[in-house]
Amino acid sequence: MANFLRSLALQGQRHMCMIMRQNFAKNCEQKLNDQINMELNACHQYLAMAYHFDRADVSSPGVHKFFLQASAEEREHAEKIMTYMNKRGGLIRLEGIPEPLPCFKDTMAALKHALKMELEVNQSLLDLHALASSENDPNLCDFIEANFLQEQVDGQKILADLIRQLERATTDVGDYLFDKYIQSAAASGGGALHSEKDIPRR
């Protein structure tokens, strides 16, 4: 009996979500759930990267802080989409998160993996935007444009710049100086992947 009553209560709550739902296609809801889980996967991968570079036998505090900030940003993105999903009357479905890569050969390998991950996230957002457009959902299009698209492009440029700068530092001393550089950028607020401080203003 208790289970039956609980089931009725849950159905009632779901009904309240459905009566506020308007012009929100099921395939857009599914794609948003896919995006939430992709952002959380990226969050965990960046977290694993951060603490790899915090190990005593690696000891790159600047890179550690950079990836720690990136992890927090990806979680923030996931939470932003979840808040939006609730506003539209959708149902959030969180999936199991695959185990992230635990370690990397060097900073260059980690940065290249991060760039590959950001490109995949960006492509998923572009696909979501195209789907929202085809479903005539201007609110979802606006949400993606206002909160994610430019930010992703800026983040990809930051990673590409860091990779090129590190390519010029081909010695252990170069790696050390690069870490000091990225640590100082992170401390000033300009080292985050998606920080608005990285965007020049006119």
Side-chain angles (χ1 to χ4, degrees):
M1 185 65 176
N3 288 339
F4 175 71
L5 292 174
R6 192 178 299 112
S7 175
L8 284 179
L10 289 173
Q11 288 176 20
Q13 291 170 4
R14 186 70 191 130
H15 175 68
M16 292 305 295
C17 284
M18 294 302 294
I19 63 173
M20 63 173 280
R21 186 176 181 130
Q22 183 181 33
N23 192 36
F24 188 37
K26 272 294 195 183
N27 52 354
C28 288
E29 179 182 349
Q30 178 56 54
K31 189 66 176 169
L32 276 170
N33 271 313
D34 292 343
Q35 191 67 41
I36 290 167
N37 286 288
M38 180 174 274
E39 301 285 353
L40 291 174
N41 287 345
C43 168
H44 275 237
Q45 182 58 74
Y46 280 133
L47 196 61
M49 287 176 170
Y51 282 93
H52 165 75
F53 288 98
D54 187 51
R55 284 168 36 180
D57 60 338
V58 180
S59 190
S60 294
V63 180
H64 162 71
K65 187 169 184 178
F66 177 79
F67 284 131
L68 203 58
Q69 289 177 338
S71 176
E73 288 168 356
E74 298 304 330
R75 176 172 174 149
E76 182 183 328
H77 291 170
E79 291 174 347
K80 189 175 289 187
I81 299 171
M82 287 190 276
T83 299
Y84 177 79
M85 182 81 92
N86 283 341
K87 289 179 181 179
R88 295 298 302 273
L91 181 63
I92 297 166
R93 297 183 183 275
L94 299 182
E95 300 172 356
I97 296 175
E99 181 182 353
L101 295 176
C103 55
F104 292 84
K105 177 184 175 183
D106 51 27
T107 304
M108 179 66 79
L111 288 172
K112 286 184 175 179
H113 186 76
L115 179 56
K116 176 177 178 291
M117 195 162 54
E118 289 295 329
L119 289 168
E120 289 171 354
V121 169
N122 190 47
Q123 185 59 55
S124 180
L125 285 165
L126 293 173
D127 293 344
L128 176 57
H129 187 277
L131 177 62
S133 181
S134 71
E135 293 288 352
N136 193 28
D137 191 337
N139 186 269
L140 179 51
C141 288
D142 180 67
F143 171 72
I144 298 163
E145 291 168 8
N147 293 284
F148 296 101
L149 295 186
Q150 187 59 51
E151 198 176 275
Q152 281 297 131
V153 171
D154 295 333
Q156 289 161 203
K157 176 62 163 59
I158 289 168
L159 284 168
D161 286 347
L162 291 175
I163 289 168
R164 182 65 190 108
Q165 289 160 12
L166 188 54
E167 282 176 344
R168 298 191 182 112
T170 56
T171 65
D172 287 342
V173 173
D175 272 346
Y176 173 78
L177 292 174
F178 177 83
D179 186 74
K180 288 295 182 186
Y181 160 75
I182 200 171
Q183 185 175 24
S184 133
S188 66
L193 265 185
H194 305 295
S195 170
E196 290 186 358
K197 292 183 181 179
D198 295 307
I199 308 171
R201 306 293 184 188
R202 293 185 180 179

